[in-house]
Amino acid sequence: MTTETVTYAYAVAQDPDGSLEEALTGLPGVADGPVRLVRAGDRGEVVVAVGAVPEQDFEETALRAHLEDLDWLESVARAHHRVIEALAARTTVLPLRLATVYLDDARVRQMLDTRQEAFAERLSDLAAHTEWGVKIYVEAPAATARPAEPPADADLSPGRAYLSHRKAQRHAREDAYRDAEEVARRVEDAARGYAVDRVQHRVQQGELARGPGENVINDAYLVPLEHGENFRAEVSRAAEGSSGVRVEVTGPWAPYSFATPPEAEPLKRAAP
């Protein structure tokens, strides 16, 4: 029995000299499938990197269930990122949203024909720029931490000692949040000298919030290539002297936050 497939779209990219096929040779994509390019016309310089994936995994109901499976989601995300990074090493890329799928290559080509001019303009805007992530964390003691035992000679009852400890914790967190606001201002001031655009993402919580502390800022900055390392150095220094606040700078990445991906079309096959 033949498994029906659909077309998974990774990114839109520029391929002016036709060299991207070489970058994708032997590169495993989602579901370990090969990656190929779809062009608009015979000599189109704007291309879409795609691959075949099992329809049963990406139709609406199955995909909704898969997105709750962190192992499956991580596997797809790693493959998606691997393809985009391979492209970004050669050219300017517009990463598409994870799990963007079309019925077939013809539908991808139709989308590309319709939006080719807009894609070309955005690719030109993003040329020689990379994305940097900046997260700010508050690492003050949690309010639920167990109170320390009062000194033996302290003139406090156990109840008063507990309340005193909780008050001290609350003050520590309030101080840390005030420090985080100041650090955020320093980050913005430092970034303003280098970045040309900024996207403010929702803070990370739950399974996405890895590492110590509470994520209170989760921003992405678009930075010219020649300013990348200066941006990293200046922003990383923003938390110096602020106890309980941490700045995490990641990158450089392909400009995930600054692309304008098309919506995937519903996976519905035409009636025979």
Side-chain angles (χ1 to χ4, degrees):
M1 178 178 176
T2 303
T3 301
E4 296 283 2
T5 63
V6 292
T7 298
Y8 185 108
Y10 297 92
V12 179
Q14 286 180 324
D15 187 25
D17 58 4
S19 66
L20 285 188
E21 293 282 3
E22 180 184 349
L24 299 174
T25 300
L27 183 70
V30 174
D32 289 328
V35 183
R36 60 186 182 277
L37 298 177
V38 170
R39 298 179 184 274
D42 293 336
R43 296 190 302 275
E45 292 186 1
V46 179
V47 298
V48 184
V50 304
V53 294
E55 181 182 13
Q56 63 186 13
D57 287 335
F58 286 87
E59 59 88 18
E60 185 177 356
T61 302
L63 182 58
R64 190 181 302 117
H66 280 315
L67 292 177
E68 300 296 325
D69 180 345
L70 292 182
D71 290 337
W72 186 91
L73 188 59
E74 181 177 10
S75 175
V76 171
R78 285 183 181 277
H80 185 91
H81 180 68
R82 183 166 58 240
V83 172
I84 289 171
E85 289 302 294
L87 293 168
R90 297 285 192 99
T91 188
T92 307
V93 177
L94 296 180
L96 300 182
R97 186 179 295 112
L98 193 72
T100 296
V101 287
Y102 290 83
L103 288 176
D104 49 37
D105 288 9
R107 306 303 174 93
V108 176
R109 188 172 294 106
Q110 182 180 20
M111 178 275 292
L112 184 55
D113 284 337
T114 301
R115 303 191 60 182
Q116 186 173 8
E117 185 175 339
F119 283 142
E121 182 177 346
R122 190 58 179 149
L123 285 164
S124 177
D125 291 341
L126 295 177
H129 290 75
T130 53
E131 176 173 330
W132 292 81
V134 178
K135 295 182 177 67
I136 299 177
Y137 295 87
V138 171
E139 299 182 314
T144 55
R146 182 177 178 177
E149 294 294 331
D153 60 347
D155 187 21
L156 293 174
S157 67
R160 289 177 62 196
Y162 174 81
L163 292 175
S164 177
H165 182 80
R166 290 296 295 270
K167 182 179 180 181
Q169 284 185 320
R170 185 173 64 253
H171 287 169
R173 290 191 68 78
E174 290 171 354
D175 288 345
Y177 284 119
R178 280 193 293 270
D179 285 348
E181 290 178 1
E182 175 59 27
V183 168
R185 283 192 290 270
R186 293 180 199 165
V187 165
E188 291 177 11
D189 288 345
R192 195 173 293 118
Y194 303 104
V196 298
D197 203 355
R198 172 191 180 193
V199 171
Q200 296 175 285
H201 294 298
R202 295 175 61 181
V203 297
Q204 294 185 329
Q205 299 175 322
E207 292 288 343
L208 295 177
R210 299 180 178 179
E214 176 188 356
N215 182 210
V216 294
I217 296 289
N218 181 18
D219 291 348
Y221 289 89
L222 186 66
V223 181
L225 280 172
E226 67 268 25
H227 296 321
E229 289 308 317
N230 287 335
F231 173 88
R232 183 206 297 270
E234 292 281 348
V235 171
S236 296
R237 285 197 290 266
E240 289 181 355
S242 297
S243 177
V245 181
R246 176 169 58 91
V247 174
E248 178 182 276
V249 182
T250 59
W253 311 109
Y256 286 88
S257 301
F258 302 92
T260 53
E263 295 295 330
E265 70 172 11
L267 290 179
K268 295 179 181 177
R269 295 189 179 279

